[in-house]
Amino acid sequence: EALGIHVWNLQVGKEDVVPFLSRLIMAFNDNLFDAKNEKIKITVSIGCVVFDHDNDIEDVLSKADSALYDSKRQGKNRFSVWRDPGLS
């Protein structure tokens, strides 16, 4: 399943979002969820893009999708922050 979260009014850069993403993964891992009268533990893969209001939404979603698949390739409970491949 996929879920999008838009967090606005943050003055953060790519490095500043890492602690938030780490806490989000821990929140999922530290809890059991009810599914048909059964407690289950779930894992997550997160793709993140830091952007401003001038960015095209389709471009932002495409970059988030790319970051998500980078996370999935790394294994369970991972996150990736999209980085422009043209930058070092």
Side-chain angles (χ1 to χ4, degrees), residues 32-43:
L32 294 176
F33 297 87
D34 289 319
K36 296 183 180 178
N37 298 321
E38 183 179 345
K39 299 282 188 182
I40 62 169
K41 185 172 184 171
I42 63 171
T43 60

Side-chain angles (χ1 to χ4, degrees), residues 42-87:
I42 63 171
T43 60
V44 294
S45 299
I46 300 172
C48 178
V49 178
V50 177
F51 64 97
D52 60 36
H53 67 279
D54 293 331
N55 291 101
D56 175 70
I57 190 64
E58 293 298 325
D59 185 46
V60 169
L61 292 175
S62 175
K63 291 173 181 175
D65 196 50
S66 177
L68 171 63
Y69 282 97
D70 285 345
S71 296
K72 287 180 179 238
R73 280 190 289 275
Q74 293 175 41
K76 297 177 180 179
N77 294 315
R78 305 289 182 159
F79 64 85
S80 295
V81 180
W82 187 87
R83 299 187 189 285
D84 187 336
L87 300 177

